Coordinates of all heavy atoms in Angstrom, one line a residue:
M1 N 57.5 -132.9 -96.4 CA 58.4 -133.9 -95.7 C 58.3 -135.3 -96.4 O 59.2 -136.1 -96.1 CB 57.8 -134.1 -94.3 CG 58.0 -132.8 -93.4 SD 59.6 -132.5 -93.0 CE 59.7 -130.7 -93.1
D2 N 57.3 -135.4 -97.2 CA 57.2 -136.8 -97.9 C 58.0 -137.0 -99.2 O 58.9 -137.7 -99.3 CB 55.8 -137.1 -98.0 CG 54.9 -136.8 -96.9 OD1 55.2 -137.3 -95.8 OD2 54.0 -135.9 -97.1
S3 N 57.6 -136.2 -100.2 CA 58.1 -136.2 -101.4 C 59.5 -135.6 -101.3 O 59.8 -134.7 -100.8 CB 57.3 -135.7 -102.4 OG 57.1 -134.3 -102.1
P4 N 60.5 -136.3 -102.1 CA 61.8 -135.7 -102.1 C 61.9 -134.3 -102.7 O 61.1 -134.1 -103.7 CB 62.7 -136.7 -102.9 CG 61.7 -137.5 -103.7 CD 60.4 -137.5 -102.9
K5 N 62.7 -133.4 -102.2 CA 62.8 -132.1 -102.8 C 63.7 -132.2 -104.1 O 64.7 -132.9 -104.0 CB 63.3 -131.2 -101.7 CG 62.4 -130.9 -100.6 CD 62.8 -129.8 -99.8 CE 62.0 -129.5 -98.5 NZ 60.7 -129.9 -98.7
M6 N 63.2 -131.4 -105.1 CA 64.0 -131.3 -106.4 C 64.7 -129.9 -106.4 O 64.2 -128.9 -106.0 CB 63.1 -131.5 -107.5 CG 62.2 -132.7 -107.4 SD 63.2 -134.3 -107.2 CE 63.5 -134.5 -108.9
C7 N 65.9 -130.0 -106.9 CA 66.7 -128.8 -107.2 C 66.0 -127.9 -108.1 O 65.6 -128.4 -109.3 CB 68.1 -129.1 -107.6 SG 69.1 -127.7 -108.0
P8 N 65.8 -126.7 -107.9 CA 65.1 -125.6 -108.8 C 66.1 -125.3 -110.0 O 65.5 -124.9 -111.0 CB 64.9 -124.5 -108.0 CG 65.9 -124.5 -106.9 CD 66.1 -126.0 -106.5
D9 N 67.3 -125.7 -109.8 CA 68.2 -125.3 -110.9 C 68.4 -126.5 -112.0 O 68.3 -126.3 -113.1 CB 69.6 -124.9 -110.5 CG 69.6 -123.5 -109.9 OD1 68.6 -122.8 -110.0 OD2 70.6 -123.1 -109.4
C10 N 68.7 -127.7 -111.4 CA 69.1 -128.8 -112.3 C 68.2 -130.0 -112.1 O 68.4 -131.0 -112.7 CB 70.6 -129.2 -112.0 SG 70.8 -130.1 -110.5
S11 N 67.1 -129.9 -111.2 CA 66.2 -130.9 -110.9 C 66.9 -132.2 -110.3 O 66.3 -133.3 -110.4 CB 65.5 -131.3 -112.3 OG 64.8 -130.3 -112.8
G12 N 68.0 -131.9 -109.7 CA 68.6 -133.1 -108.9 C 67.9 -133.3 -107.7 O 67.0 -132.5 -107.3
V13 N 68.3 -134.3 -107.1 CA 67.7 -134.7 -105.7 C 68.2 -133.8 -104.6 O 69.5 -133.8 -104.5 CB 67.7 -136.2 -105.4 CG1 67.2 -136.5 -104.0 CG2 67.1 -137.0 -106.5
M14 N 67.4 -133.2 -103.7 CA 67.9 -132.5 -102.6 C 68.0 -133.4 -101.3 O 67.0 -134.0 -101.0 CB 67.0 -131.3 -102.3 CG 66.8 -130.3 -103.5 SD 68.3 -129.3 -104.0 CE 68.2 -128.0 -102.8
V15 N 69.2 -133.4 -100.7 CA 69.3 -134.3 -99.5 C 69.3 -133.3 -98.3 O 69.9 -132.3 -98.3 CB 70.6 -135.0 -99.7 CG1 70.9 -135.9 -98.5 CG2 70.7 -135.8 -101.0
E16 N 68.5 -133.8 -97.3 CA 68.3 -133.0 -96.0 C 69.7 -133.0 -95.2 O 70.4 -134.0 -95.2 CB 67.3 -133.6 -95.2 CG 67.1 -132.7 -94.0 CD 65.8 -133.2 -93.1 OE1 65.1 -134.1 -93.7 OE2 65.6 -132.6 -92.1
G17 N 69.9 -131.9 -94.7 CA 71.1 -131.7 -93.7 C 71.0 -130.5 -93.0 O 70.0 -130.0 -92.9
F18 N 72.0 -130.2 -92.4 CA 72.0 -128.8 -91.6 C 73.4 -128.2 -91.6 O 74.4 -129.0 -91.8 CB 71.5 -128.9 -90.2 CG 72.3 -129.8 -89.4 CD1 73.4 -129.3 -88.6 CD2 72.0 -131.3 -89.3 CE1 74.1 -130.2 -87.8 CE2 72.7 -132.0 -88.5 CZ 73.8 -131.5 -87.7
I19 N 73.5 -127.0 -91.4 CA 74.8 -126.3 -91.4 C 75.2 -126.1 -90.0 O 74.4 -125.7 -89.1 CB 74.7 -125.0 -92.2 CG1 74.4 -125.2 -93.7 CG2 76.0 -124.1 -92.0 CD1 74.0 -123.9 -94.5
L20 N 76.5 -126.5 -89.7 CA 77.0 -126.5 -88.4 C 77.8 -125.1 -88.2 O 78.6 -124.9 -89.0 CB 77.9 -127.7 -88.2 CG 78.2 -128.0 -86.8 CD1 76.9 -128.4 -86.0 CD2 79.1 -129.3 -86.8
D21 N 77.4 -124.5 -87.2 CA 78.1 -123.2 -86.8 C 79.2 -123.6 -85.8 O 78.9 -124.1 -84.7 CB 77.2 -122.2 -86.2 CG 76.5 -121.3 -87.3 OD1 77.0 -121.4 -88.4 OD2 75.6 -120.5 -87.0
M22 N 80.3 -123.3 -86.2 CA 81.4 -123.5 -85.2 C 81.7 -122.2 -84.4 O 81.9 -121.2 -85.0 CB 82.7 -123.9 -85.8 CG 82.5 -125.1 -86.8 SD 82.2 -126.6 -85.7 CE 83.8 -126.9 -85.1
T23 N 81.6 -122.3 -83.1 CA 81.8 -121.1 -82.2 C 82.8 -121.5 -81.1 O 83.1 -122.7 -81.0 CB 80.5 -120.7 -81.6 OG1 80.1 -121.5 -80.6 CG2 79.4 -120.5 -82.6
Y24 N 83.1 -120.5 -80.4 CA 84.0 -120.8 -79.3 C 83.4 -121.7 -78.2 O 84.0 -122.4 -77.5 CB 84.5 -119.5 -78.6 CG 85.5 -118.7 -79.5 CD1 85.0 -117.5 -80.1 CD2 86.7 -119.1 -79.7 CE1 85.9 -117.0 -81.0 CE2 87.6 -118.5 -80.5 CZ 87.2 -117.2 -81.1 OH 88.0 -116.7 -82.0
G25 N 82.1 -121.5 -78.1 CA 81.4 -122.3 -77.1 C 81.0 -123.7 -77.4 O 80.6 -124.5 -76.8
G26 N 81.4 -124.1 -78.8 CA 81.0 -125.4 -79.3 C 80.3 -125.3 -80.6 O 80.7 -124.4 -81.4
R27 N 79.5 -126.2 -80.9 CA 78.8 -126.3 -82.2 C 77.3 -125.9 -82.1 O 76.7 -126.4 -81.2 CB 79.0 -127.7 -82.8 CG 80.5 -128.1 -83.0 CD 80.5 -129.5 -83.3 NE 82.0 -129.9 -83.4 CZ 82.4 -131.2 -83.4 NH1 81.5 -132.1 -83.3 NH2 83.6 -131.3 -83.5
L28 N 76.9 -125.2 -83.0 CA 75.5 -124.8 -82.9 C 74.9 -124.9 -84.2 O 75.5 -124.8 -85.4 CB 75.5 -123.2 -82.6 CG 75.7 -122.7 -81.2 CD1 75.9 -121.2 -81.2 CD2 74.7 -123.1 -80.3
V29 N 73.6 -125.4 -84.2 CA 72.8 -125.5 -85.4 C 72.2 -124.1 -85.5 O 71.7 -123.4 -84.6 CB 71.7 -126.6 -85.2 CG1 70.8 -126.5 -86.4 CG2 72.4 -127.9 -85.0
P30 N 72.2 -123.5 -86.7 CA 71.7 -122.2 -87.0 C 70.2 -122.0 -86.6 O 69.5 -123.0 -86.8 CB 72.1 -121.9 -88.4 CG 72.2 -123.2 -89.0 CD 72.7 -124.1 -87.9
R31 N 69.8 -120.9 -86.2 CA 68.4 -120.6 -85.9 C 68.0 -119.5 -86.8 O 68.8 -118.5 -87.0 CB 68.3 -120.2 -84.5 CG 68.5 -121.4 -83.6 CD 67.4 -122.3 -83.4 NE 67.6 -123.4 -82.3 CZ 68.0 -124.6 -82.6 NH1 68.3 -124.8 -83.8 NH2 68.2 -125.4 -81.5
W32 N 66.8 -119.5 -87.2 CA 66.3 -118.4 -87.8 C 65.3 -117.6 -86.8 O 64.6 -118.1 -86.1 CB 65.3 -118.9 -89.0 CG 64.6 -117.7 -89.7 CD1 65.1 -117.1 -90.7 CD2 63.3 -117.1 -89.3 NE1 64.1 -116.0 -91.2 CE2 63.1 -116.1 -90.3 CE3 62.3 -117.5 -88.4 CZ2 61.8 -115.4 -90.3 CZ3 61.2 -116.7 -88.4 CH2 60.9 -115.8 -89.4
L33 N 65.5 -116.3 -86.7 CA 64.8 -115.5 -85.8 C 64.2 -114.3 -86.6 O 64.6 -113.7 -87.5 CB 65.7 -114.8 -84.8 CG 66.2 -115.8 -83.7 CD1 67.6 -116.1 -83.7 CD2 65.7 -115.4 -82.2
R34 N 62.8 -114.1 -86.1 CA 62.1 -113.1 -86.8 C 62.5 -111.7 -86.5 O 62.9 -111.4 -85.3 CB 60.6 -113.2 -86.3 CG 59.6 -112.3 -87.1 CD 58.2 -112.8 -86.8 NE 57.3 -111.9 -87.5 CZ 56.1 -112.4 -87.9 NH1 55.9 -113.7 -87.7 NH2 55.4 -111.5 -88.6
G35 N 62.4 -110.8 -87.5 CA 62.8 -109.4 -87.3 C 64.3 -109.1 -87.5 O 65.0 -110.0 -88.0
K36 N 64.6 -108.0 -87.0 CA 66.1 -107.5 -87.3 C 66.8 -107.8 -85.9 O 66.3 -107.8 -84.8 CB 66.1 -106.1 -87.5 CG 65.4 -105.7 -88.9 CD 65.6 -104.2 -89.2 CE 65.1 -104.0 -90.6 NZ 64.8 -102.5 -90.8
P37 N 68.1 -108.1 -86.0 CA 68.9 -108.3 -84.9 C 69.0 -107.1 -84.1 O 69.3 -106.0 -84.6 CB 70.2 -108.7 -85.4 CG 70.3 -108.2 -86.9 CD 68.9 -108.1 -87.3
E38 N 68.8 -107.3 -82.8 CA 69.0 -106.2 -81.8 C 70.1 -106.5 -80.9 O 70.2 -107.6 -80.5 CB 67.8 -106.0 -81.0 CG 66.5 -105.6 -81.7 CD 65.2 -105.9 -80.7 OE1 65.2 -105.4 -79.7 OE2 64.3 -106.6 -81.1
E39 N 71.1 -105.6 -80.8 CA 72.2 -105.8 -79.9 C 72.0 -106.0 -78.5 O 71.1 -105.2 -78.0 CB 73.3 -104.7 -80.2 CG 74.0 -104.9 -81.5 CD 75.2 -104.0 -81.7 OE1 75.7 -103.6 -80.6 OE2 75.5 -103.6 -82.7
S40 N 72.6 -106.9 -77.8 CA 72.4 -107.0 -76.4 C 73.7 -107.0 -75.7 O 74.7 -107.6 -76.4 CB 71.7 -108.3 -76.1 OG 72.0 -108.8 -74.8
I41 N 73.9 -106.4 -74.7 CA 75.2 -106.3 -74.0 C 75.6 -107.7 -73.5 O 76.8 -107.9 -73.2 CB 75.3 -105.3 -72.9 CG1 74.3 -105.5 -71.9 CG2 75.4 -103.8 -73.5 CD1 74.4 -104.6 -70.6
W42 N 74.7 -108.6 -73.2 CA 74.9 -109.9 -72.6 C 75.3 -110.9 -73.7 O 76.3 -111.6 -73.5 CB 73.6 -110.3 -71.9 CG 73.3 -109.4 -70.8 CD1 72.2 -108.7 -70.9 CD2 73.9 -109.1 -69.6 NE1 72.1 -107.9 -69.7 CE2 73.2 -108.2 -69.0 CE3 75.2 -109.6 -69.1 CZ2 73.6 -107.6 -67.6 CZ3 75.5 -109.1 -67.8 CH2 74.7 -108.2 -67.2
T43 N 74.6 -110.9 -74.8 CA 74.8 -112.1 -75.6 C 75.2 -111.7 -77.0 O 75.3 -112.5 -77.8 CB 73.4 -112.9 -75.8 OG1 72.4 -112.1 -76.2 CG2 73.1 -113.6 -74.4
G44 N 75.4 -110.4 -77.2 CA 75.8 -110.0 -78.6 C 74.5 -109.6 -79.3 O 74.4 -108.5 -79.8
V45 N 73.6 -110.5 -79.5 CA 72.4 -110.3 -80.2 C 71.2 -110.8 -79.4 O 71.2 -111.9 -78.8 CB 72.3 -111.0 -81.7 CG1 71.0 -110.8 -82.4 CG2 73.4 -110.4 -82.5
K46 N 70.2 -110.0 -79.2 CA 69.0 -110.3 -78.4 C 68.1 -111.3 -79.1 O 67.9 -111.2 -80.3 CB 68.2 -109.0 -78.2 CG 67.3 -109.1 -77.2 CD 66.5 -107.8 -76.9 CE 65.3 -107.9 -76.1 NZ 64.5 -106.7 -76.2
T47 N 67.9 -112.4 -78.3 CA 67.0 -113.5 -78.9 C 65.7 -113.7 -78.1 O 64.9 -114.3 -78.7 CB 67.8 -114.8 -78.9 OG1 68.2 -115.2 -77.5 CG2 69.1 -114.7 -79.8
S48 N 65.6 -113.2 -77.0 CA 64.5 -113.7 -76.1 C 63.2 -112.9 -76.7 O 63.3 -111.9 -77.1 CB 64.7 -113.2 -74.7 OG 65.0 -111.8 -74.5
G49 N 62.1 -113.7 -76.7 CA 60.9 -113.2 -76.9 C 60.7 -113.2 -78.5 O 59.7 -112.6 -79.0
K50 N 61.6 -113.6 -79.3 CA 61.5 -113.6 -80.7 C 61.0 -114.9 -81.2 O 61.4 -116.0 -80.6 CB 62.9 -113.3 -81.5 CG 63.2 -111.9 -81.2 CD 64.5 -111.6 -81.9 CE 65.0 -110.2 -81.8 NZ 64.2 -109.3 -82.5
E51 N 60.4 -115.0 -82.3 CA 59.9 -116.3 -83.0 C 61.2 -116.9 -83.4 O 62.1 -116.2 -84.1 CB 59.1 -115.9 -84.2 CG 58.7 -117.1 -84.9 CD 57.8 -116.6 -86.1 OE1 57.2 -115.6 -86.2 OE2 57.7 -117.6 -87.1
C52 N 61.5 -118.2 -83.1 CA 62.7 -118.8 -83.5 C 62.5 -120.2 -84.1 O 61.6 -120.9 -83.5 CB 63.4 -119.0 -82.1 SG 65.2 -119.6 -82.3
R53 N 63.1 -120.4 -85.1 CA 63.0 -121.7 -85.8 C 64.2 -122.3 -86.2 O 65.2 -121.6 -86.5 CB 62.2 -121.5 -87.2 CG 60.7 -121.0 -86.9 CD 60.2 -120.7 -88.1 NE 58.7 -120.1 -87.9 CZ 57.6 -120.8 -87.7 NH1 57.7 -122.1 -87.7 NH2 56.5 -120.2 -87.4
S54 N 64.3 -123.6 -86.1 CA 65.5 -124.3 -86.6 C 65.6 -124.3 -88.1 O 64.6 -124.4 -88.7 CB 65.6 -125.8 -85.9 OG 64.5 -126.5 -86.5
V55 N 66.8 -124.4 -88.5 CA 67.1 -124.3 -89.9 C 67.6 -125.6 -90.4 O 68.5 -126.2 -90.0 CB 68.0 -123.2 -90.3 CG1 68.4 -123.1 -91.8 CG2 67.6 -121.8 -89.7
E56 N 66.8 -126.1 -91.4 CA 67.3 -127.3 -92.2 C 67.8 -126.8 -93.5 O 67.2 -126.0 -94.2 CB 66.1 -128.3 -92.5 CG 65.4 -128.8 -91.3 CD 64.0 -129.1 -91.5 OE1 63.7 -129.6 -92.6 OE2 63.2 -128.9 -90.6
S57 N 68.9 -127.4 -94.0 CA 69.4 -127.0 -95.2 C 69.4 -128.3 -96.2 O 69.7 -129.4 -95.8 CB 70.8 -126.6 -95.2 OG 70.7 -125.3 -94.7
Y58 N 68.9 -128.1 -97.4 CA 69.0 -129.2 -98.4 C 69.9 -129.0 -99.4 O 70.2 -127.8 -99.8 CB 67.5 -129.3 -99.1 CG 66.5 -130.0 -98.1 CD1 66.0 -129.1 -97.1 CD2 66.1 -131.3 -98.3 CE1 65.0 -129.7 -96.3 CE2 65.2 -131.8 -97.5 CZ 64.7 -131.1 -96.5 OH 63.7 -131.5 -95.7
R59 N 70.7 -130.0 -99.8 CA 71.9 -129.8 -100.7 C 71.5 -130.7 -101.9 O 71.2 -131.8 -101.8 CB 73.1 -130.2 -100.1 CG 74.3 -130.1 -101.0 CD 75.6 -130.8 -100.3 NE 76.6 -130.9 -101.3 CZ 76.7 -131.9 -102.2 NH1 76.0 -132.9 -102.1 NH2 77.7 -131.9 -103.1
C60 N 71.7 -130.1 -103.1 CA 71.6 -130.8 -104.3 C 72.8 -131.6 -104.5 O 73.9 -131.3 -104.4 CB 71.4 -129.8 -105.4 SG 71.4 -130.7 -107.1
E61 N 72.5 -132.9 -104.9 CA 73.5 -133.8 -105.1 C 74.2 -133.7 -106.4 O 75.3 -134.1 -106.6 CB 73.1 -135.2 -105.1 CG 72.6 -135.7 -103.6 CD 72.6 -137.3 -103.4 OE1 72.0 -138.0 -104.3 OE2 73.4 -137.7 -102.5
Q62 N 73.6 -133.0 -107.3 CA 74.2 -132.8 -108.6 C 75.0 -131.5 -108.7 O 76.2 -131.7 -109.1 CB 73.1 -132.7 -109.7 CG 72.6 -134.2 -110.0 CD 71.9 -134.2 -111.4 OE1 72.4 -134.0 -112.4 NE2 70.5 -134.4 -111.3
C63 N 74.4 -130.3 -108.3 CA 75.1 -129.1 -108.6 C 75.6 -128.6 -107.2 O 76.4 -127.6 -107.2 CB 74.2 -128.1 -109.4 SG 72.9 -127.5 -108.4
G64 N 75.1 -129.0 -106.1 CA 75.7 -128.6 -104.8 C 74.8 -127.3 -104.3 O 75.2 -126.8 -103.2
L65 N 73.9 -127.0 -104.9 CA 73.0 -125.8 -104.4 C 72.6 -126.2 -103.0 O 72.0 -127.2 -102.8 CB 71.8 -125.6 -105.4 CG 70.8 -124.6 -105.0 CD1 71.4 -123.1 -105.4 CD2 69.5 -124.7 -105.6
L66 N 72.5 -125.1 -102.2 CA 71.9 -125.2 -100.9 C 70.7 -124.4 -100.8 O 70.5 -123.3 -101.2 CB 73.0 -124.7 -99.8 CG 74.2 -125.5 -99.6 CD1 75.0 -124.7 -98.6 CD2 73.9 -126.9 -99.1
R67 N 69.6 -125.0 -100.1 CA 68.4 -124.4 -100.0 C 68.0 -124.6 -98.4 O 68.0 -125.7 -97.9 CB 67.3 -125.0 -100.7 CG 67.1 -124.2 -101.9 CD 65.6 -124.6 -102.4 NE 65.2 -123.4 -103.1 CZ 63.9 -123.3 -103.7 NH1 63.1 -124.3 -103.6 NH2 63.6 -122.2 -104.3
S68 N 67.7 -123.5 -97.8 CA 67.4 -123.6 -96.3 C 65.8 -123.4 -96.0 O 65.2 -122.5 -96.6 CB 68.2 -122.6 -95.5 OG 69.5 -122.9 -95.6
Y69 N 65.4 -124.2 -95.0 CA 64.0 -124.1 -94.6 C 64.0 -124.0 -93.2 O 64.8 -124.6 -92.4 CB 63.2 -125.4 -95.0 CG 63.0 -125.7 -96.5 CD1 64.1 -126.2 -97.2 CD2 62.0 -125.2 -97.3 CE1 64.1 -126.4 -98.6 CE2 61.8 -125.4 -98.6 CZ 62.8 -126.0 -99.3 OH 62.8 -126.3 -100.6
A70 N 63.1 -123.1 -92.7 CA 62.9 -122.8 -91.3 C 61.6 -123.1 -90.9 O 60.7 -122.2 -90.8 CB 63.4 -121.4 -90.9
N71 N 61.3 -124.4 -90.8 CA 59.8 -124.8 -90.5 C 59.5 -124.9 -89.1 O 58.5 -124.6 -88.6 CB 59.5 -126.1 -91.3 CG 59.3 -125.7 -92.7 OD1 58.8 -124.7 -93.1 ND2 59.8 -126.6 -93.5
Q72 N 60.5 -125.6 -88.3 CA 60.1 -126.1 -87.0 C 60.4 -125.0 -85.9 O 61.6 -124.6 -85.8 CB 61.0 -127.3 -86.7 CG 60.4 -128.2 -85.6 CD 61.3 -129.3 -85.1 OE1 62.2 -129.7 -86.1 NE2 61.1 -129.8 -84.0
E73 N 59.5 -124.7 -85.2 CA 59.6 -123.7 -84.2 C 60.3 -124.3 -83.0 O 59.9 -125.3 -82.5 CB 58.2 -123.0 -83.8 CG 58.4 -121.7 -83.1 CD 57.1 -120.8 -83.1 OE1 56.2 -121.2 -83.9 OE2 57.1 -119.9 -82.5
V74 N 61.2 -123.6 -82.5 CA 62.0 -124.0 -81.4 C 62.1 -122.9 -80.3 O 61.8 -121.7 -80.7 CB 63.3 -124.5 -81.6 CG1 63.3 -125.8 -82.5 CG2 64.2 -123.5 -82.4
D75 N 62.6 -123.2 -79.2 CA 62.8 -122.1 -78.2 C 64.0 -121.2 -78.6 O 65.0 -121.8 -79.0 CB 63.1 -122.7 -76.8 CG 61.8 -123.3 -76.2 OD1 60.7 -122.9 -76.6 OD2 62.0 -124.1 -75.3
A76 N 63.9 -120.0 -78.4 CA 65.1 -119.2 -78.7 C 66.1 -119.5 -77.7 O 65.8 -119.8 -76.6 CB 64.6 -117.6 -78.5
P77 N 67.3 -119.4 -78.2 CA 68.4 -119.8 -77.3 C 68.5 -118.8 -76.2 O 68.4 -117.6 -76.4 CB 69.7 -119.6 -78.2 CG 69.2 -119.0 -79.5 CD 67.7 -119.2 -79.6
G78 N 68.7 -119.4 -75.0 CA 68.7 -118.5 -73.8 C 70.1 -117.9 -73.5 O 71.0 -118.0 -74.4
L79 N 70.3 -117.2 -72.5 CA 71.4 -116.4 -72.2 C 72.7 -117.3 -72.3 O 73.8 -116.8 -72.8 CB 71.3 -115.8 -70.9 CG 72.3 -114.8 -70.3 CD1 72.3 -113.6 -71.4 CD2 71.9 -114.3 -69.0
F80 N 72.6 -118.5 -71.9 CA 73.7 -119.3 -71.7 C 73.9 -120.3 -72.9 O 74.7 -121.3 -72.9 CB 73.8 -120.0 -70.4 CG 73.8 -119.1 -69.2 CD1 72.7 -118.9 -68.5 CD2 74.9 -118.4 -68.9 CE1 72.6 -118.0 -67.4 CE2 74.9 -117.4 -67.9 CZ 73.7 -117.3 -67.1
G81 N 73.0 -120.1 -73.9 CA 73.1 -121.0 -75.1 C 72.4 -122.2 -74.8 O 71.9 -122.5 -73.7
K82 N 72.5 -123.2 -75.8 CA 71.8 -124.4 -75.6 C 72.5 -125.5 -76.3 O 73.0 -125.2 -77.4 CB 70.4 -124.3 -76.3 CG 69.3 -124.6 -75.0 CD 68.0 -124.6 -75.7 CE 67.0 -125.0 -74.6 NZ 65.6 -125.2 -75.2
Ligands
LIG1 ZN1 71.1 -128.8 -108.5

């Protein structure tokens, strides 16, 4: 979190950001969930009870490479989204 991240390809500076998911319900920040997706008749994919982390993406200012990190644990999105 302290030292700036460097691009593994070109050694450029990686800038923190996130990828926005556009859905019918609005905008969602992507989440990383442990395991394989299980289908649910309610929400499409089952999320409850799974380890869930928010995803940060870093972008290289020089070559545009994206790198994602899922460090911060968050609540899995509920039935009605969040
Ligand atoms: Zn780069």
Side-chain angles (χ1 to χ4, degrees):
M1 293 288 140
D2 316 301
S3 55
K5 294 194 186 321
M6 306 303 275
C7 176
D9 282 358
C10 74
S11 300
V13 177
M14 305 288 284
V15 182
E16 185 178 352
F18 61 90
I19 293 167
L20 197 60
D21 270 352
M22 303 296 285
T23 70
Y24 289 108
R27 298 166 183 170
L28 288 173
V29 175
R31 296 277 189 262
W32 176 91
L33 286 115
R34 184 172 186 145
K36 292 184 177 163
E38 296 166 50
E39 278 187 32
S40 155
I41 53 168
W42 301 109
T43 56
V45 174
K46 198 176 159 191
T47 56
S48 58
K50 288 184 184 289
E51 181 183 341
C52 183
R53 294 175 187 272
S54 64
V55 178
E56 300 150 32
S57 285
Y58 287 77
R59 178 186 169 274
C60 172
E61 290 208 301
Q62 277 195 72
C63 72
L65 178 84
L66 292 176
R67 263 203 151 181
S68 295
Y69 295 82
N71 285 322
Q72 201 186 341
E73 199 160 351
V74 293
D75 289 338
L79 188 60
F80 302 104
K82 239 188 177 183

